[in-house]
Amino acid sequence: MELRHLKTFLAAAETLSISAASRQLRVTQPALSRQIQDLEAEVGQPLFVRHPGGLKLTPAGVELRDRGARVIAAHDDALRAVRADPPAAAHLRLAYSPTLHMWTRFMAPAVTRLQARETGLTSTVQELVPGKIIAGLRAGDIDVGMFVAGTHPNIVGVTCELAVHLPVSAVVAVDHPLAKRRQLEIEDFRDQEVIGFSEESFPGRDLSFRQRCREAGFEPRIHRVGDSLLDALVIGRQRGALGIAASLGLKSFIPGVVFVPIRPPSVTFPLFVASTDAIAAAGKLREQIVAEAARVARAP
């Protein structure tokens, strides 16, 4: 039963006249009669008794009039409520892994593009280590997170996808003996200490690197310093150690070090983007970030 048929019936039930109802609804009498006949066919019994003086409701017509009037009233109330009080625009709580280039290269352009399509969309953003982002997504405190992790996290109520494999280079102090090399072999790490971060803060960050070293026949000496990039740089300089980092876009942000590529097969960091399923705009932003990451990765 369509609303227009019900409205036609109610007009006829109110006026008890085909001609009066047709004038009220601004439709022709034959069209109005056909709609009532269609409705009677659907109901399976007459709604009116027709006589020369007009129309009279049958018991079924009286029942449909009373119930139909409530349906139309509820429909009109719902429209008025939506028009008077439109749904609030989404506010997204965002988080990204250090460093700043994660925001400037991937997340910020995606937010800008989504805001151009989603009127009123607002957001707050914070930089957190991956372990805290994953915990925040799991607790419902973060709506969209972008982070490096060794494996695909499984979080109830959250959709997570691999955006891109970030290329990894060696981070070498400018005065280190290896700083002037055009690229490093994985074998060059055999006798070098490598600055890393805690597994709690960066779960699985160095998984690909450790696998490459093991394939070369040695276990890397990783000195873990917690979760501070600045601490890692300072301690690395003090100890004459190397580091590993996603080289994409970082060269202009960290003075005093150079990024030396590692000869293929590549060492990579998997970059994941996750969003809560409870907010539609969060899913749209996740998709936009993944597309932005793919675009940046393809750029020369």
Side-chain angles (χ1 to χ4, degrees):
M1 182 184 300
E2 298 183 20
L3 281 177
R4 63 188 180 90
H5 287 157
L6 186 55
K7 289 180 177 179
T8 296
F9 163 75
L10 290 175
E14 178 185 353
T15 61
L16 294 177
S17 168
I18 294 294
S19 59
S22 66
R23 287 193 300 270
Q24 178 179 318
L25 296 176
R26 297 182 180 179
V27 298
T28 65
Q29 292 186 38
L32 188 142
S33 296
R34 280 195 302 271
Q35 289 189 34
I36 291 176
Q37 289 168 4
D38 291 343
L39 189 55
E40 288 178 324
E42 185 174 355
V43 171
Q45 55 185 308
L47 299 172
F48 295 101
V49 175
R50 293 156 176 84
H51 57 83
L55 303 174
K56 181 180 179 180
L57 287 166
T58 65
V62 172
E63 183 73 14
L64 184 59
R65 178 197 62 191
D66 295 342
R67 292 179 180 271
R70 291 195 291 271
V71 169
I72 295 299
H75 171 266
D76 293 344
D77 285 345
L79 285 180
R80 282 193 294 271
V82 171
R83 289 166 179 164
D85 187 20
H91 177 81
L92 299 179
R93 298 163 298 174
L94 315 178
Y96 67 94
S97 294
T99 60
L100 184 60
H101 87 293
M102 291 287 194
W103 167 254
T104 58
R105 299 296 295 276
F106 302 133
M107 187 173 273
V111 170
T112 299
R113 287 184 170 85
L114 184 61
Q115 285 177 330
R117 303 195 307 269
E118 299 278 329
T119 303
L121 177 67
T122 58
S123 62
T124 53
V125 61
Q126 55 184 327
E127 180 182 290
L128 296 172
V129 296
K132 290 184 177 179
I133 294 177
I134 294 170
L137 288 162
R138 187 169 282 122
D141 298 327
I142 294 172
D143 300 316
V144 181
M146 182 176 63
F147 53 90
V148 166
T151 57
H152 195 295
N154 184 18
I155 306 171
V156 176
V158 171
T159 297
C160 181
E161 62 181 306
L162 175 65
V164 69
H165 283 281
L166 297 172
V168 171
S169 293
V171 184
V172 187
V174 292
D175 56 356
H176 192 281
L178 297 176
K180 297 187 183 303
R181 294 272 294 275
R182 294 178 64 86
Q183 64 179 7
L184 297 184
E185 305 285 347
I186 201 69
E187 185 67 29
D188 291 321
F189 289 91
R190 181 184 292 271
D191 299 321
Q192 298 288 334
E193 187 175 57
V194 179
I195 297 297
F197 300 100
S198 71
E199 275 294 308
E200 180 182 8
S201 297
F202 289 81
R205 177 182 183 270
D206 54 9
L207 192 62
S208 174
F209 171 70
R210 290 168 60 193
Q211 181 62 34
R212 284 286 316 281
C213 292
R214 288 167 180 168
E215 290 170 357
F218 68 96
E219 188 70 27
R221 293 188 294 120
I222 299 178
H223 179 74
R224 303 193 182 278
V225 297
D227 60 14
S228 168
L229 177 62
L230 181 59
D231 286 349
L233 291 171
V234 171
I235 294 173
R237 290 293 296 272
Q238 290 173 345
R239 298 173 70 95
L242 303 180
I244 56 171
S247 53
L248 191 62
L250 280 176
K251 296 181 181 180
S252 60
F253 290 110
I254 303 180
V257 300
V258 293
F259 288 78
V260 183
I262 302 171
R263 184 188 292 274
S266 299
V267 176
T268 63
F269 289 159
L271 178 67
F272 294 96
V273 185
S275 64
T276 175
D277 297 336
I279 303 176
K284 293 178 183 178
L285 180 58
R286 183 195 76 250
E287 294 170 357
Q288 189 70 60
I289 294 171
V290 170
E292 191 66 27
R295 185 190 65 81
V296 172
R298 289 194 303 267

